[in-house]
Amino acid sequence: MAGLSIKPEGSYVDATFGRGGHSRAILARLASSGRLLGLDRDPEAVAAGRELAAADPRFSIVHAPFSSLASCWRAFAGASRAQGILMDLGVSSPQLDQPERGFGFMRDGPLDMRMDSGNGAPASEWVNTAEERELAHVFWTYGEERHARRIAKRIVQAREQAPLMRTTQLADLIASVIGRREPGKHPATRCFQAIRIHINRELDELREALDQAVEILAPDGRLAVISFHSLEDRIVKRFMREQARGEQLPRNLPVREQPAAGRTLRLVGKAAHASESEVARNPRARSAVLRVAERLP
């Protein structure tokens, strides 16, 4: 909330509504004329958002991925721009805690993992049809899994006998390949992250949303992004840095100063991490990284 520097009369976007924790915190700081738009592609999150919208006329919710940020904003606010945009990336706690969504493996559930459960194919379809090379590429690229090739080979062998349809079925298979080498971390964690990112196009969605956020931000408006793993944070960090730096000339050109052309953002502070007390209250915050940037005039 401090990073967003909320103006009571302003208009804001919570691009990842979830169950509305951030939205309620923003609304608590807005005056009666302030407005907030929420986005989420999870139908259950949207249902929760509609309850909030019915109780608070300052709030509206749209069932959409945040790659639709610009079009959703224009439908909400016309030609005016937003004073702040918040993105809280990755999977939400309710999604993780519901076995039937298939995001986790501590309790058995269908191998689904779709952010929008009514759209697209479940993870099981991809796991059971993708070529071995594609499986290994996804595990390595999105999960940074060192044993990607061995796991992919074992999946292909296993599915020839019977399809992999359950979360614990896949998690146990991965554990049988690489063992339990990291204390406190299940061996399937990286692969499950990779599958989720792949089938939901999470990193592509993020890149598209960041570009659109700059487009709809008002001068001095703030963009605040919370990431939970290095792939997301690397994209956010690089994007904000490039937008703050502007166009860069080749090093050998005989000019005294770099031009400011193309600069759209100013970095606000350094990356922020959860405090020890916050992690004690909410262990899932231990990997969270918050970065904030401000739109230049």
Side-chain angles (χ1 to χ4, degrees):
M1 294 303 105
L4 282 175
S5 186
I6 294 171
K7 299 176 176 66
E9 311 292 333
S11 297
Y12 292 83
V13 183
D14 181 354
T16 46
F17 179 78
R19 291 302 181 272
H22 286 124
S23 286
R24 289 181 176 86
I26 293 170
L27 288 167
R29 291 162 173 79
L30 291 180
S32 59
S33 59
R35 300 176 74 196
L36 174 63
L37 172 66
L39 275 66
D40 209 295
R41 57 175 167 170
D42 185 332
E44 294 183 18
V46 174
R50 285 173 179 156
E51 292 182 8
L52 177 58
D56 193 328
R58 300 173 299 169
F59 177 72
S60 296
I61 183 80
V62 179
H63 183 197
F66 54 42
S67 61
S68 300
L69 176 60
S71 60
C72 290
W73 173 258
R74 293 190 184 101
F76 173 74
S80 64
R81 295 192 177 190
Q83 275 70 50
I85 301 169
L86 173 64
M87 300 179 187
D88 185 4
L89 306 178
V91 65
S92 68
S93 289
Q95 290 169 331
L96 281 173
D97 294 338
Q98 296 174 11
E100 62 272 17
R101 300 299 300 273
F103 287 101
F105 42 76
M106 303 312 293
R107 291 182 291 170
D108 187 45
L111 193 59
D112 194 316
M113 298 195 200
R114 288 172 293 173
M115 296 287 190
D116 184 347
S117 54
N119 189 29
S124 58
E125 182 173 319
W126 180 77
V127 168
N128 286 295
T129 59
E131 294 183 359
E132 182 177 330
R133 180 180 295 181
E134 182 182 353
L135 290 166
H137 172 75
V138 168
F139 296 154
W140 171 254
T141 304
Y142 298 141
E144 300 178 317
E145 172 54 67
R146 292 179 298 148
H147 306 284
R149 290 182 179 178
R150 290 173 55 200
I151 294 168
K153 183 176 182 180
R154 182 72 183 90
I155 287 174
V156 172
Q157 292 171 345
R159 74 191 190 191
E160 289 176 354
Q161 307 301 316
L164 298 164
M165 303 300 294
R166 309 291 294 181
T167 55
T168 53
Q169 186 185 8
L170 178 59
D172 290 346
L173 181 149
I174 295 169
S176 72
V177 174
I178 64 178
R180 295 182 177 272
R181 299 185 179 182
E182 294 183 56
K185 189 171 188 177
H186 193 284
T189 300
R190 290 191 180 94
C191 286
F192 268 64
Q193 170 187 294
I195 296 169
R196 190 201 82 218
I197 289 172
H198 175 68
I199 69 164
N200 291 293
R201 295 184 64 253
E202 290 183 34
L203 301 186
D204 291 334
E205 287 275 330
L206 174 59
R207 293 185 184 97
E208 293 174 31
L210 289 171
D211 285 333
Q212 294 175 39
V214 170
E215 181 183 334
I216 67 170
L217 267 177
D220 301 325
R222 295 283 183 91
L223 171 63
V225 185
I226 304 171
S227 307
F228 285 86
H229 59 74
S230 59
L231 295 175
E232 293 172 337
D233 184 55
R234 198 175 301 148
I235 291 171
V236 175
K237 179 180 180 180
R238 185 173 299 160
F239 175 82
M240 289 184 172
R241 181 181 294 170
E242 289 175 353
Q243 295 298 315
R245 185 186 301 159
E247 296 178 9
Q248 297 294 292
L249 295 178
R251 292 182 180 180
N252 295 330
L253 282 185
V255 293
R256 292 182 180 273
E257 296 181 0
Q258 291 282 6
R263 292 184 64 212
T264 61
L265 297 176
R266 177 183 69 84
L267 302 181
V268 178
K270 297 181 179 179
H273 301 264
S275 64
E276 290 184 8
S277 61
E278 182 177 357
V279 172
R281 295 193 307 272
N282 177 21
R284 287 175 178 166
R286 65 184 179 277
S287 57
V289 182
L290 168 66
R291 296 185 186 275
V292 181
E294 185 176 275
R295 184 69 160 93
L296 293 172

